[in-house]
Amino acid sequence: MSNFRRLLGYLRPYRYRVFLAVFLMFMVTLTALPLPRIIQFVIDRVLPHHMWHTLNWIFWIIIGIYLFRGIVSFSLNYLIGWLGQRVVFDLRFHSYRHLNRLSLSYYDQRQTGKIMARAVDDINVIQYMITGGFVTLITDMLTLVLVIPVIFLMNVKLALIAMAVVPIYVFNYKLFLKKIRPLSVEIRKSWDALIGTLQEKISGITVVKAFVRENYETEQFIKTIRLNYDLQMTQATLNRILAATATIIRAVGTGLVYWIGAKLVGVHTLKVGELVAFTGYIGYLYDPALRLVDFNVQAQWAGASMDRVFEVLDTRPEITDAPNAKSMTNLKGSVTFRHVSFGYSRDNQALIDINLDVQPGEVIAIVGPSGAGKTTLVNLIARFYDATEGAILIDGVDIRQIRLESVRRQIGYVSQESLLFSVSLAENIRYGRNDATREQIIQAAKNADLHDFIMTLPDGYDTKIGEEGIKLSVGQKQRMAIARATLTNPRILILDDATSALDSKTEANVQAALEKLMKGRTNFVIAHRLATIMNADRIVVMDKGRIVDIGTHAELVAREGVYQNLYNEQFKSAQDEALAELLG
Amino acid sequence: MRNFLRLVRELKAYWKIMVLIAILTVITAGLGLPGPLIVAHLIDSLYKHNPINLFLVFLALVGIAAGTGLVGYCLTFAVTYLGQQFKMEMRRRLYSHMQTLSLGYFEKNQIGKMMSNITNDVATLDQLISGSFVRLMQDSATLIGVLVIVFIKDWKLALVALSVSPFYVANYLLHIGHIKKAADDVREERDIMLGDLQEKLAGAMVVKSYAKERTEVRQFVGQTRNLLDLNVDLSMLGTRLWTIAEFIGSGCGVALIIWYGGREVMMNRLSPGNLVAFISFITGYMYGPILRLIQLNDQFARTNAALNRIFGTLDTEPNIQNKPAAKVMPDIKGHVEYKHVWFEYEPGQPVLKDINLDIKPGMMVAFVGQSGSGKTTMINLLSRHYDVTDGAILVDGYDLRDVTIDSLRKQVGVVIQETILFNTSIRENIRYGKLDATNEEVEDAARAANIAHVIEALPKGYDTLIGEAGIKLSGGEKQRIAIARAILSDPRILVLDEATSSLDSETESLIQEALDHLMKGRTSFVVAHRLSTIVASDLIVVMEKGVIREAGSHLELLQQGGIYASLYNQQFKVALESREAEGVKL
Ligand SMILES: Nc1ncnc2c1ncn2[C@@H]1O[C@H](COP(=O)(O)OP(=O)(O)OP(=O)(O)O)[C@@H](O)[C@H]1O
Ligand SMILES: Nc1ncnc2c1ncn2[C@@H]1O[C@H](COP(=O)(O)OP(=O)(O)OP(=O)(O)O)[C@@H](O)[C@H]1O
Ligand SMILES: [Mg+2]
Ligand SMILES: [Mg+2]
C-alpha cells in the first residue's frame, strides 16, 4: 500500500491536472445518471399520455447530454493519457538516472536483462495501472457515491435489497485477493528468469555451440517457460472463479430487485418506468464491483512492478560525491595509496595494506600472478569501488573528497575486457570526447596502430561495428579501446592488460606512440608479458593482495622473489638458447 | 494473408480445443440474449396488469447468470489454455530453432531483437488468438442473434437503430490510418530506446570510466521525451475515435430509438417492454461488436508484422547444416589438413587466402601473427562455425562438411579468446563441458587448470556464484575456468585461442604441464602472442593478413630469420642481452 502512496507522489507535480481530471471524471459520471430517469419518464409519462411533442424534446436532450459527455470525456481521456505518459517518463528518467549513479558493484550482482526488465516492462505495467486501473477505480467510486443516494431516494426498500448482496461480494473478493497477490509476484519472477536466461544464452551462444549444448539449452528454456505457463494458468483460474461468482451475485441482486419491484408495481407503490430506471441504476452499482476483478489483477501486477522499480530507486549508490567534494580540473597526476585495504565482500580480502607513492609522470607497471589484485588496485584509482580501509590520494587529496566526475574525466581507463558499442568506429573512438575532430580521431587510431586496418574497410571510419556491423578481432577491439582512451587526453592512464591480444610488433608500435603521447602523465600498466613493462620506471609486484616488491626491472631480476620466478619462467627458452649458443 | 493461412495450419494441432471454444462462445453469446426479453415480458405484463410468476422470472435471471458464469469460466479456461499452450510451443520452437542457426546469424542480429522475437512477437500472436479470435466468434454470434431478434420484433425500428452505423464505421475508418501510423512511430522509437538501453546498461563499466553518466542520461531523456510525445499523440487519436464512437452509438443511437420507438409505442405498434429491450440490445449488443469487428482489421495488421518476424526466424536456414548423408565422425585421431582454404566473412573481403597445412596426429600447433591476421578465423573453421568459401578442411581424412556437426564439435574443445561464463556457480560453469560429470571430475578439471586452490579458498567453494559473465572473477580466473570446462569435455582436439593471455607465465606453465599430460597423443592448437607459451610446439605457423608466411619449429624459424625471429627478438631482447652480458662475464 505504501507503494501506491509513493506512486501518488509521482503525481504531485501535476496535482492541478489531477484535480482537473477528477473533476472531469465527476462530470462524466454525472452525465451517465439522467438516462435511466429519462427512460422512466418516457415509460411512465410520455407513452401513457401520448406526449408527442415532449418526445421530440427528449430526443434532443439525449443528443445534448451525450454531446456534452463526449466533449468532457475527450478532455478527460486526453488529460489522463498525458498524465500516464508523463509519469512513465518521470519514472523512467529517475530509474535510469539512478541506475547510472549506482556503482559497479550493483551491476556485478545482476543480469542486464533483469535490470532492463525493470526499466522497461515494470514501468509499462505501472502506466497501465495509472491510465487504466486508477481512472476506472476513481470513476467507479464517484459513480457509487452518486448512485447510492439516487436509488435510496427512488425506493428505500429496493435499494436495501440491491445493496444486500454487496457484502457477499466483498467477502468473496477478499478471499481471492490473498491468493492472487503472491501469484503475481511469482509470475513476474518467472518472467524475469525467462528474460535473464534468454539474454545470457543468446549472447553466450558461442559457448553453447562449442560444447554442443543446443538441446540442453532448449530443455532448460522449456523449463522456464513451463513454469511461467503453470503460473499463468493458475492465475487465470483464480480470476475466472472470482468473475463467475461476481456474475452470479449480480444476477441474484438484479433478480431480487425485479421480483420485489414487480410486487411493488402490483400494489401500485412503484411505477413500471421507475422499476426500469432502478434496474438501470443498479447496473451502475454492480458494474464497479465486477470491474474490481480487473482492477485487482492490474493492481497486483502493478504492485509487484512497483516493488521492483522502487527497489532500484532505493538502492543507495555506494559511491557518491561527498557533500563538500571539490572539483579538480587540472590534475598533476600523483597517486598515493595509504594503508589501503579492500574486499569485494567481508570474507574476501582482495587488497591488504597497500602503500604506494606515485609521482606525476611516472610509469608504474604492475605484475603478479592472476588474481593477485592488480585490476582491483587500478579500479580503486578510478574509484569504481571505495577502499575499505586507508585512503587513496590524488595530488594529495583524498579521492573521496574530489568530485567523481572530475576524477574520472582525467583518467583514461582501458579495462581488461574491451567493450565497444554498436555504433561506427569513429563514434566509438570519440566516446570519451564528443567534440573531437576527425583529425584527432584519426590520430588516436594511428596511436593505436589501427589506422591502416580501418582504411582497408570499405566504409573506413564510418564502418559500424557490433551486432549490426562487422566484427573485430580481439586485438582490434583492444586497440579500439586504447584509441578511445588516448583521445580524452587523460592525466592518468591505466592500461589493464590492454595489449595482451597484440603481437609484439603491433604492441611495440602502440607503445612507441603512447610513450610520446604520455610524456608527463602518470601511467599504470598491467601486463603479463614482461617485455611490455621492462622499461617502466618502477615495477610493482603483487601477490595475494599485497605488494611484495617494488623496483626497476634490473633490481627485481637481481633479487630472489616472485618477479625473478616469473622472469625465469618466461625467458627460460631464451636463456637456454643464449647459453647453448655461448657454449657452442 | 499467407502468414495467416500458415498460422491457421500451425493451429491445426489445437483443433479440438478450438472447436470447444467455438461452441462455448456461441453458448455465451446466446445466453446474453434472453435477459432483455424476459425483462421486456415482465414490463409488459406489469404494464397491462397481467399476472406473472415473479419467482420464475427471478429463477430465470439467476439461472441464466449462473449459466453464463459457468460457461464463461470454462471458456476463459479453454482460451487461456489455448493461448498459453500456443505461446509456449511457439517460444520453444523459436528458441530451439535459433539454437540450430550458425554463429553468423547471431553476429548479424541484435540480441535485443532476437529476444523481442521470442517474447513480444509471440505475445502479440497470443493476443490475436486468445483475444481477437474469441471476440470475433462471440461478437459475430451476438450480432447475428441480436439482428434476428430486433428485426423480428420491429424491423422498422431495427432499421432506424442501424441507420447510425455507417457513421460509426466511417468514423473508425477515418481515424485508423493515422492511428496505425502513430503506433508504428511509437514502436520504432521504442525499439531505438530499448537497443540503446540494453547496450549502455551492459557497458556500465565504460560509461563510468568516461564519466559519461550525465550524457547518457541526457540522451536517454531525449529519447523518452520523443516517446512521450508520440505516445500522447497516439492516445489522443484513440481517445478521439472512441469519444466520437460513443457519441454516435450511445448518444444518437439511443436518442433515435427512444424517439422513434416512443412514437411506435404511442401508436400501439410496439410494447413498452420491447422498447426497453431494444434499448439494451442496441446499446449493449450491437454497436460494440460492430466496432470490434472492424477493429480486428487493425489487430490483423499488427499481428501480421509479428508473424513476419516469427516466420522469418523459423524460415532462416542455418548456414551450416548437416548434409543429408552426413556421417557420424568416429573417434578423432587428430590428423588435420587445410587444403587451399579460402574464407570470407563479407563477400569480396577474403580473410584467409589459400591456406595449406598438414597437421599430424598428436602434434601441438601454434599460430602466431599480427592481430587481425585470421588466427581465430582458422579455428572457427575447424569447429565448423563457418564453412570454407573455397578449398576444404579434412580431419582424419573426412571433409568437415561430410560429417555431422555434433559429432565433430563434441570432439573439438575450443577455449575461445573472449571468455564467456554464465551466471551460475563455478561448479555449474565447469560442468557445462560435461553435464553428467561427477563432482570429482569437476574438481580434477579445476586442478588441471590450476584454479582449484583459488576456488577452494572461497567461502562457498565450488558453489560460489560468479555473476553475469563471471564479473566477480579476475580475468585470469575466468580464463582458467574456461580451460577447466574444456578439459572436462575431454576433447580429441584441443584449441586454446589466447586462452592464457591473462595468466602469468608461472601459472601458465603449470597448466601447460597438466595439459601435456592430459593431451598426450592428441592434437592441440594454440594461439598466443607470448612466445614463451609456444616455443615448445611441434609446428609454429606465422600468419599475416590471411596468409601463412612461415611454418616450422621454433629453431627452424629462428634460423630462417624471418617474421618469427624478429618477433622473438623483440620480446626477448632484454633477456637475451642480459644473458649475453652475463655469459660474456662467465
Ligand atoms: N564475424 C566476423 N564478421 C566479419 N569480419 C570478421 C568477423 N570476425 C573477424 N572478422 C575480421 O576478420 C579478420 C581476422 O579476424 P580474426 O579474429 O581471425 O583475427 P585474429 O588473428 O584472431 O586476431 P587477434 O589476434 O586480434 O585475435 C579481422 O580483420 C576481423 O576484422
Ligand atoms: N567484482 C568482484 N566481486 C568479488 N570478487 C572479485 C571481484 N572482482 C575480483 N574479485 C576477486 O578479487 C581477487 C583479485 O582480483 P583482480 O581482478 O584484482 O585480480 P588480477 O590481479 O587483476 O588478476 P588477473 O591477472 O587474472 O586479471 C580475485 O580473487 C577475484 O576473484
Ligand atoms: Mg585483472
Ligand atoms: Mg583472435
Side-chain angles (χ1 to χ4, degrees):
Chain A
M1 216 49 226
S2 65
N3 273 337
F4 283 90
R5 205 167 304 141
R6 186 158 165 194
L7 185 62
L8 287 180
Y10 274 87
L11 287 171
R12 180 159 308 139
Y14 315 111
R15 55 183 169 281
Y16 295 113
R17 287 178 218 242
V18 174
F19 291 145
L20 181 61
V22 173
F23 174 72
L24 291 177
M25 282 181 216
F26 184 76
M27 297 301 285
V28 171
T29 315
L30 216 55
T31 54
L33 291 181
L35 194 62
R37 287 299 235 186
I38 291 175
I39 294 176
Q40 173 195 349
F41 182 71
V42 170
I43 292 177
D44 289 343
R45 301 284 299 278
V46 179
L47 299 185
H49 300 109
H50 294 272
M51 298 153 71
W52 299 92
H53 191 63
T54 322
L55 192 61
N56 291 345
W57 268 108
I58 283 175
F59 175 78
W60 290 113
I61 288 173
I62 296 179
I63 299 271
I65 290 175
Y66 272 93
L67 195 60
F68 177 68
R69 181 182 165 88
I71 293 168
V72 177
S73 84
F74 176 77
S75 329
L76 172 66
N77 285 322
Y78 181 76
L79 193 59
I80 295 290
W82 186 89
L83 276 171
Q85 294 296 340
R86 184 69 213 192
V87 171
V88 168
F89 173 80
D90 289 350
L91 267 175
R92 282 233 174 93
F93 166 59
H94 282 158
S95 321
Y96 190 68
R97 191 179 56 185
H98 195 75
L99 281 171
N100 267 292
R101 280 194 193 137
L102 290 173
S103 356
L104 273 193
S105 52
Y106 180 82
Y107 293 90
D108 290 357
Q109 318 286 348
R110 285 165 188 82
Q111 283 177 302
T112 316
K114 290 192 183 166
I115 302 179
M116 284 273 291
R118 289 174 194 221
V120 182
D121 298 344
D122 281 322
I123 291 180
N124 279 341
V125 174
I126 297 177
Q127 187 219 331
Y128 290 135
M129 162 85 199
I130 295 177
T131 49
F134 265 175
V135 175
T136 323
L137 185 71
I138 296 176
T139 319
D140 284 349
M141 298 284 204
L142 288 173
T143 314
L144 285 182
V145 169
L146 291 171
V147 164
I148 292 177
V150 169
I151 56 172
F152 271 94
L153 282 178
M154 282 178 76
N155 191 306
V156 177
K157 204 163 166 189
L158 280 184
L160 282 176
I161 290 168
M163 298 283 290
V165 294
V166 173
I168 309 177
Y169 181 78
V170 172
F171 178 71
N172 177 36
Y173 168 77
K174 284 234 148 156
L175 221 61
F176 280 94
L177 198 60
K178 253 196 237 128
K179 292 185 200 159
I180 286 174
R181 194 189 300 257
L183 207 59
S184 314
V185 177
E186 285 297 305
I187 291 181
R188 211 74 195 86
K189 261 198 218 143
S190 76
W191 183 248
D192 259 16
L194 193 150
I195 300 274
T197 346
L198 212 53
Q199 135 114 23
E200 183 171 79
K201 291 297 156 57
I202 292 183
S203 46
I205 192 75
T206 329
V207 169
V208 175
K209 290 198 169 291
F211 290 102
V212 201
R213 290 284 174 266
E214 289 96 335
N215 292 337
Y216 169 74
E217 287 308 338
T218 307
E219 270 163 39
Q220 295 299 312
F221 181 71
I222 291 173
K223 270 189 216 153
T224 38
I225 43 178
R226 159 129 328 247
L227 177 67
N228 188 263
Y229 164 82
D230 289 341
L231 290 169
Q232 296 267 13
M233 287 307 289
T234 320
Q235 194 195 33
T237 317
L238 278 178
N239 279 331
R240 204 49 222 179
I241 292 177
L242 183 55
T245 330
T247 318
I248 295 171
I249 292 174
R250 174 197 167 115
V252 170
T254 317
L256 279 175
V257 167
Y258 275 123
W259 188 0
I260 311 292
K263 279 201 168 137
L264 291 179
V265 174
V267 296
H268 296 289
T269 38
L270 193 73
K271 293 215 178 82
V272 181
E274 270 177 325
L275 179 60
V276 174
F278 197 92
T279 49
Y281 282 123
I282 60 172
Y284 294 161
L285 186 67
Y286 293 144
D287 280 346
L290 268 172
R291 266 198 295 266
L292 221 54
V293 183
D294 291 338
F295 176 74
N296 156 54
V297 177
Q298 229 177 29
Q300 293 315 315
W301 273 93
S305 289
M306 275 186 259
D307 279 345
R308 294 147 44 95
V309 172
F310 289 142
E311 191 201 297
V312 172
L313 287 175
D314 289 345
T315 313
R316 285 260 182 88
E318 282 167 23
I319 302 205
T320 45
D321 282 331
N324 52 353
K326 47 183 168 181
S327 181
M328 294 181 53
T329 38
N330 274 315
L331 290 185
K332 291 200 192 58
S334 83
V335 177
T336 311
F337 282 76
R338 260 196 212 146
H339 298 292
V340 171
S341 293
F342 173 76
Y344 287 98
S345 58
R346 211 157 286 137
D347 39 38
N348 149 332
Q349 282 291 348
L351 293 179
I352 303 158
D353 195 30
I354 300 288
N355 286 293
L356 184 65
D357 207 340
V358 181
Q359 298 308 317
E362 246 187 319
V363 176
I364 297 288
I366 307 174
V367 295
S370 158
K374 305 179 294 294
T375 302
T376 311
L377 186 86
V378 291
N379 273 344
L380 293 189
I381 301 176
R383 211 175 161 216
F384 289 129
Y385 305 91
D386 268 340
T388 330
E389 264 171 61
I392 297 166
L393 316 180
I394 292 185
D395 285 3
V397 183
D398 189 325
I399 54 171
R400 283 166 293 200
Q401 300 299 324
I402 312 177
R403 285 197 44 224
L404 198 57
E405 206 179 312
S406 73
V407 189
R408 288 208 188 132
R409 278 202 185 281
Q410 298 180 69
I411 294 181
Y413 186 101
V414 184
S415 60
Q416 206 162 1
E417 263 135 283
S418 358
L419 215 156
L420 303 175
F421 296 120
S422 327
V423 284
S424 71
L425 293 172
E427 279 169 285
N428 261 302
I429 297 179
R430 201 170 53 194
Y431 187 74
R433 195 167 144 203
N434 279 329
D435 55 355
T437 63
R438 198 46 122 165
E439 284 74 50
Q440 288 170 318
I441 293 174
I442 292 176
Q443 187 54 46
K446 280 185 178 156
N447 290 337
D449 198 18
L450 207 56
H451 180 69
D452 294 340
F453 165 69
I454 295 178
M455 293 320 284
T456 65
L457 297 170
D459 291 335
Y461 280 86
D462 297 319
T463 311
K464 277 198 88 177
I465 54 167
E467 283 148 337
E468 284 176 342
I470 65 154
K471 250 194 93 181
L472 297 177
S473 84
V474 179
Q476 288 161 347
K477 277 203 226 169
Q478 280 194 337
R479 283 178 283 158
M480 281 293 292
I482 294 176
R484 179 170 66 187
T486 56
L487 187 65
T488 61
N489 199 8
R491 303 303 310 166
I492 301 175
L493 182 71
I494 299 173
L495 300 173
D496 185 359
D497 226 355
T499 52
S500 64
L502 303 186
D503 57 290
S504 301
K505 203 164 136 235
T506 313
E507 191 192 21
N509 292 347
V510 174
Q511 263 189 340
L514 285 186
E515 239 160 64
K516 248 189 283 153
L517 196 77
M518 289 303 141
K519 274 239 155 69
R521 291 158 219 238
T522 315
N523 292 284
F524 291 86
V525 182
I526 299 176
H528 288 295
R529 217 183 298 158
L530 298 184
T532 313
I533 50 147
M534 259 169 333
N535 295 325
D537 294 327
R538 276 191 295 164
I539 298 172
V540 174
V541 186
M542 294 191 65
D543 194 14
K544 302 203 177 85
R546 293 176 195 274
I547 294 183
V548 292
D549 209 346
I550 300 183
T552 62
H553 171 71
E555 289 165 13
L556 291 174
V557 221
R559 49 180 177 251
E560 260 175 44
V562 179
Y563 191 80
Q564 200 185 48
N565 291 344
L566 287 176
Y567 178 84
N568 285 338
E569 189 60 53
Q570 213 169 102
F571 294 121
K572 198 157 52 191
S573 66
Q575 291 163 357
D576 292 351
E577 256 148 48
L579 222 59
E581 239 166 69
L582 270 173
L583 300 179
Chain B
M1 210 48 221
R2 272 219 323 278
N3 278 338
F4 289 99
L5 289 181
R6 182 159 169 196
L7 179 64
V8 171
R9 275 203 304 280
E10 300 281 347
L11 283 167
K12 229 182 235 157
Y14 303 100
W15 71 271
K16 276 189 202 149
I17 187 101
M18 291 191 61
V19 169
L20 178 68
I21 289 175
I23 295 172
L24 289 175
T25 314
V26 174
I27 296 179
T28 319
L31 281 175
L33 299 179
L37 294 179
I38 295 172
V39 173
H41 175 63
L42 173 74
I43 289 172
D44 287 341
S45 312
L46 290 175
Y47 223 69
K48 298 189 196 118
H49 307 289
N50 290 345
I52 178 168
N53 188 338
L54 288 173
F55 184 64
L56 265 187
V57 170
F58 173 75
L59 270 192
L61 287 177
V62 174
I64 289 170
T68 315
L70 192 70
V71 177
Y73 174 78
C74 301
L75 178 63
T76 322
F77 193 82
V79 168
T80 319
Y81 178 79
L82 170 69
Q84 297 284 348
Q85 277 280 334
F86 185 72
K87 221 159 44 169
M88 189 160 72
E89 173 60 19
M90 249 5 220
R91 291 202 168 125
R92 186 192 65 73
R93 287 224 338 241
L94 277 170
Y95 189 75
S96 61
H97 185 74
M98 278 186 191
Q99 296 284 332
T100 66
L101 296 176
S102 10
L103 275 193
Y105 175 81
F106 291 89
E107 279 158 7
K108 290 272 175 290
N109 287 283
Q110 262 189 324
I111 297 178
K113 290 210 183 110
M114 288 185 271
M115 282 176 58
S116 142
N117 203 211
I118 294 182
T119 55
N120 300 336
D121 288 342
V122 175
T124 311
L125 265 200
D126 172 43
Q127 272 167 24
L128 179 79
I129 291 166
S130 58
S132 311
F133 273 170
V134 173
R135 246 192 290 142
L136 175 71
M137 288 191 274
Q138 198 162 357
D139 285 343
S140 326
T142 311
L143 202 58
I144 293 170
V146 167
L147 284 179
V148 169
I149 293 176
V150 293
F151 271 94
I152 289 175
K153 289 238 173 252
D154 186 331
W155 63 271
K156 273 185 283 177
L157 185 52
L159 279 184
V160 169
L162 277 179
S163 66
V164 296
S165 37
F167 295 100
Y168 210 66
V169 175
N171 170 46
Y172 174 79
L173 294 180
L174 277 179
H175 276 90
I176 196 59
H178 299 287
I179 290 187
K180 224 181 271 175
K181 196 185 154 301
D184 285 346
D185 289 349
V186 167
R187 211 165 309 139
E188 201 174 304
E189 185 71 28
R190 197 186 50 202
D191 279 354
I192 295 177
M193 185 197 84
L194 288 185
D196 262 18
L197 189 66
Q198 129 110 34
E199 200 171 68
K200 292 296 156 54
L201 287 177
M205 174 80 174
V206 174
V207 174
K208 288 194 181 301
S209 2
Y210 288 94
K212 295 270 282 189
E213 290 97 332
R214 277 196 290 164
T215 329
E216 290 304 342
V217 171
R218 214 172 305 134
Q219 189 183 341
F220 181 76
V221 167
Q223 285 168 348
T224 24
R225 181 173 286 282
N226 284 347
L227 197 59
L228 166 80
D229 292 342
L230 290 173
N231 263 319
V232 169
D233 284 353
L234 177 64
S235 96
M236 195 200 66
L237 281 170
T239 303
R240 210 166 70 191
L241 166 68
W242 286 106
T243 314
I244 298 179
E246 200 200 10
F247 174 69
I248 296 176
S250 308
C252 302
V254 171
L256 268 177
I257 294 167
I258 290 183
W259 177 72
Y260 188 82
R263 295 168 63 94
E264 296 272 289
V265 174
M266 288 188 273
M267 291 187 281
N268 275 331
R269 283 195 288 221
L270 185 75
S271 72
N274 278 333
L275 177 60
V276 174
F278 248 93
I279 295 174
S280 54
F281 273 136
I282 301 292
T283 52
Y285 299 93
M286 211 157 89
Y287 294 126
I290 290 181
L291 194 66
R292 281 201 292 264
L293 285 180
I294 323 174
Q295 238 187 333
L296 271 182
N297 179 24
D298 171 43
Q299 179 89 42
F300 275 122
R302 197 168 323 148
T303 318
N304 196 22
L307 278 176
N308 264 335
R309 284 189 294 261
I310 290 177
F311 290 145
T313 305
L314 288 178
D315 291 345
T316 312
E317 295 270 323
N319 291 336
I320 312 293
Q321 263 176 317
N322 286 333
K323 274 195 191 158
K327 286 181 287 259
V328 170
M329 183 92 201
D331 276 1
I332 293 180
K333 291 197 195 61
H335 183 206
V336 180
E337 289 165 277
Y338 285 75
K339 283 195 173 157
H340 299 290
V341 170
W342 287 75
F343 179 71
E344 51 195 36
Y345 289 103
E346 306 286 337
Q349 299 174 34
V351 171
L352 295 181
K353 298 167 206 160
D354 198 28
I355 299 286
N356 285 293
L357 264 183
D358 189 353
I359 297 152
K360 297 278 176 303
M363 268 208 202
M364 173 177 165
V365 187
F367 291 100
V368 295
Q370 267 182 359
S371 153
S373 56
K375 304 179 293 293
T376 302
T377 308
M378 292 278 285
I379 282 155
N380 279 340
L381 293 183
L382 178 63
S383 40
R384 211 178 158 215
H385 285 307
Y386 303 88
D387 271 340
V388 294
T389 318
D390 202 7
I393 300 177
L394 310 183
V395 172
D396 289 358
Y398 290 92
D399 189 318
L400 293 186
R401 287 164 292 192
D402 293 336
V403 293
T404 62
I405 302 172
D406 284 15
S407 66
L408 170 73
R409 289 197 191 143
K410 277 209 173 109
Q411 301 186 61
V412 180
V414 185
V415 181
I416 56 175
Q417 201 168 0
E418 282 172 297
T419 317
I420 295 174
L421 297 177
F422 298 124
N423 185 17
T424 57
S425 66
I426 295 179
R427 191 192 306 282
E428 289 308 314
N429 265 297
I430 298 180
R431 191 175 274 157
Y432 203 78
K434 182 181 171 201
L435 294 177
D436 54 359
T438 62
N439 285 347
E440 262 110 66
E441 286 175 295
V442 169
E443 282 158 31
D444 285 343
R447 214 157 293 132
N450 203 262
I451 183 77
H453 61 284
V454 178
I455 301 172
E456 278 150 18
L458 293 168
K460 289 202 199 120
Y462 284 87
D463 297 318
T464 311
L465 298 176
I466 58 168
E468 185 172 51
I471 198 161
K472 295 187 191 172
L473 299 172
S474 85
E477 286 163 353
K478 274 192 266 188
Q479 286 193 331
R480 281 179 280 168
I481 289 184
I483 293 175
R485 182 170 64 186
I487 290 176
L488 187 63
S489 72
D490 191 26
R492 307 296 307 175
I493 298 180
L494 180 68
V495 182
L496 302 175
D497 188 358
E498 297 242 27
T500 52
S501 65
S502 293
L503 295 178
D504 56 288
S505 302
E506 268 192 289
T507 315
E508 191 188 20
S509 80
L510 287 174
I511 296 178
Q512 203 62 55
E513 249 166 57
L515 283 179
D516 284 348
H517 188 65
L518 283 172
M519 296 301 295
K520 193 155 264 154
R522 303 189 193 178
T523 310
S524 60
F525 289 73
V526 178
V527 180
H529 289 300
R530 210 184 307 155
L531 300 182
S532 57
T533 315
I534 53 155
V535 282
S537 315
D538 302 305
L539 176 68
I540 296 173
V541 178
V542 184
M543 299 193 58
E544 196 178 81
K545 301 207 170 106
V547 291
I548 295 179
R549 296 292 297 267
E550 295 168 13
S553 74
H554 173 68
L555 284 176
E556 286 165 15
L557 291 181
L558 272 191
Q559 270 152 20
Q560 268 182 33
I563 303 175
Y564 181 79
S566 82
L567 283 177
Y568 183 81
N569 285 329
Q570 192 129 33
Q571 234 176 82
F572 291 76
K573 193 165 50 193
V574 188
L576 292 169
E577 280 165 6
S578 67
R579 265 301 128 153
E580 264 159 29
E582 272 173 50
V584 171
K585 258 190 254 158
L586 270 172

